[in-house]
Amino acid sequence: PFFTRSIDPHVGTSAQGKLAFDLFEFSSDTFKDILQNLREGRGQGKWSVSKGVATEEYWKHLDAEVKTLLLNHFGGRKWIWMLRHKSWPNHLLDCEVLQIAAAAYLGLFKYEETK
């Protein structure tokens, strides 16, 4: 659900080849599933939020997306995470998901594939 690849931000310029860094890419849907499982007490690990962070605004962000079954014209089906409403903020959800993905990448959290 994640990988890195080396990129040169100066490709096509005179500075090409002087700098490269690893770009971290991950499946946000996979890690949203993991976060949802942790929030519901399923799977490995324990997830908690300190009192100072657990504001109404925080919970609104974390509940900004729902897993929805998407159907196409050919009878195909796929579960995806979608915003509840286009104006509902999800920035803190994105932060939580990135933290789990980064922890998995660094070996601090062993992810389990979800179904």
Side-chain angles (χ1 to χ4, degrees):
F2 59 83
F3 64 92
T4 60
R5 62 184 168 102
S6 184
I7 64 169
D8 182 343
H10 302 292
V11 170
T13 70
S14 61
Q16 182 172 336
K18 295 181 181 177
L19 175 68
F21 60 88
D22 287 335
L23 176 65
F24 176 59
E25 297 185 67
F26 63 96
S27 165
S28 63
D29 281 1
T30 297
F31 288 101
K32 285 175 187 174
D33 289 344
I34 292 169
L35 176 59
Q36 186 65 31
N37 285 338
L38 288 170
R39 288 180 67 189
E40 293 174 357
R42 294 190 317 249
Q44 52 118 9
K46 183 176 186 268
W47 182 81
S48 64
V49 179
S50 64
K51 269 187 171 181
V53 174
T55 64
E56 187 176 323
E57 183 72 13
Y58 174 82
W59 293 116
K60 183 174 182 175
H61 278 250
L62 256 62
D63 292 331
E65 297 183 21
V66 291
K67 197 163 189 180
T68 307
L69 183 60
L70 190 65
L71 305 172
N72 68 24
H73 305 308
F74 309 106
R77 314 161 21 136
K78 179 171 141 178
W79 287 96
I80 62 168
W81 286 91
M82 295 182 67
L83 282 172
R84 289 181 187 271
H85 187 274
K86 65 181 179 178
S87 65
W88 199 320
N90 67 343
H91 314 302
L92 299 176
L93 171 63
D94 291 340
C95 291
E96 292 281 355
V97 169
L98 181 55
Q99 289 178 82
I100 294 171
Y105 171 73
L106 294 171
L108 302 172
F109 176 83
K110 185 176 178 184
Y111 68 93
E112 297 172 357
E113 291 292 329
T114 57
K115 298 197 179 3

